[in-house]
Amino acid sequence: MTTATDSSPMLEADRLALRIGARWLCCEFSLRLAAGQCLVLLGPNGAGKTTLLHTLAGLREPTVGAVRLGGRPYMGWDSAAAARFRGLLPQQQPDFFSASVLETALVGRHPHLGRWGWEGPQDEAIARAALAELGLADMATRDILTLSGGERQRVAIAALLTQAPELFLLDEPTNHLDLRYQVAVLELFARLARAGRGVVMVLHDINLAARFADQVILLDGRGGVVAGARDEVLRAGLLSQAFDHPIRRIDGDRRAIFIPE
């Protein structure tokens, strides 16, 4: 079984570039994400944030360059080991069959079970703890087909917590969530990062990126990309160019705030 080495970055992109058809989503850039860090992908609609996230998750090959997970290319990982090391929260949660909230959360334990294994009491305890973390402890027996969009999103996040990866890859984790749960979910992943996990997430809110990111990758939708430390990337000029709208930065006592002109 392949595992990461303690000295390796959790995630690396080496001179990565992506193209779909004749369109380049991003030119070459490199990154290194260490344990304890949060990386945010920003950019306008259609810029390629989800495609980039899926490439970092090993779901598609880069057009140019390489992606390494825990110091190794994805082809060097056993699929189950990779699923235990990194977990992906997709943007949409399609539900084709009826299932309880607890059963849905327990799907996250599959990488930890043998081919013919069944979830045991410890797996259920992990799932219930994850549901409690998301305010869903009293909804374990609810059918997921009866949930609101925000409730279903929290169940998906609970399933990812149940998977217990070292690296979280999150596509719009605040999707469908009200203000309270947007902040609560991002604070949750910030705590996990401080505890030594890695976090990569797609966000649309520049101010949330300013609050939670250590690193930022900014896509402009025209192939341009800026990657680096948060304060190097979150500059009014770069953001205005990427979003094709004037954006003003106001430096407060604790953090910068960005507003459209």
Side-chain angles (χ1 to χ4, degrees):
M1 179 179 68
T2 305
T3 58
T5 61
D6 292 340
S7 59
S8 300
M10 286 193 142
L11 185 67
E12 294 175 274
D14 184 16
R15 300 188 67 183
L16 184 71
L18 302 177
R19 183 178 64 189
I20 295 181
R23 178 191 171 203
W24 286 94
L25 299 180
C26 62
C27 57
E28 293 184 17
F29 72 95
S30 298
L31 71 88
R32 291 166 61 93
L33 183 76
Q37 290 187 322
C38 176
L39 167 68
V40 170
L41 311 184
L42 274 179
N45 292 337
K49 300 182 294 296
T50 293
T51 301
L52 175 55
L53 187 73
H54 286 181
T55 303
L56 296 176
L59 301 184
R60 60 177 295 139
E61 289 289 327
T63 308
V64 177
V67 176
R68 290 185 289 274
L69 181 71
R72 295 175 179 266
Y74 273 99
M75 67 176 62
W77 284 82
D78 171 83
S79 59
R84 290 191 291 270
F85 189 81
R86 63 91 174 90
L88 173 69
L89 177 74
Q91 190 176 126
Q92 302 294 334
Q93 317 300 331
D95 295 311
F96 301 107
F97 304 102
S98 176
S100 74
V101 165
L102 178 60
E103 289 168 337
T104 304
L106 278 168
V107 171
R109 297 307 296 165
H110 286 188
H112 301 270
L113 304 175
R115 178 171 295 182
W116 307 111
W118 289 90
E119 300 90 344
Q122 183 178 6
D123 299 303
E124 183 174 332
I126 292 170
R128 288 188 180 277
L131 292 174
E133 186 74 59
L134 275 299
L136 298 165
D138 296 333
M139 298 175 62
T141 60
R142 279 274 301 275
D143 190 319
I144 55 170
L145 299 181
T146 70
L147 302 181
S148 70
E151 290 168 337
R152 182 63 184 89
Q153 179 76 347
R154 285 189 282 144
V155 173
I157 295 169
L160 187 63
L161 295 183
T162 302
Q163 185 177 339
E166 295 298 315
L167 174 65
F168 294 94
L169 300 160
L170 315 170
D171 197 352
E172 299 188 31
T174 59
N175 234 0
H176 304 297
L177 300 181
D178 60 28
L179 179 60
R180 170 194 173 191
Y181 280 112
Q182 285 184 27
V183 175
V185 162
L186 295 181
E187 289 283 6
L188 166 61
F189 285 107
R191 291 198 306 272
L192 289 169
R194 290 194 295 269
R197 308 286 182 91
V199 178
V200 180
M201 55 185 170
V202 173
L203 292 179
H204 283 287
D205 191 315
I206 299 170
N207 290 303
L208 290 178
R211 178 171 175 176
F212 291 100
D214 298 300
Q215 298 185 56
V216 174
I217 296 175
L218 177 63
L219 305 176
D220 67 8
R222 301 177 294 276
V225 58
V226 181
R230 175 193 59 207
D231 292 337
E232 294 175 357
V233 178
L234 296 186
R235 292 186 285 168
L238 291 175
L239 293 167
S240 298
Q241 182 179 19
F243 287 96
D244 197 24
H245 189 88
I247 294 174
R248 181 181 177 190
R249 172 175 172 146
I250 300 174
D251 290 304
D253 294 336
R254 298 181 60 187
R255 65 179 67 91
I257 299 173
F258 297 87
I259 59 173
E261 292 282 18

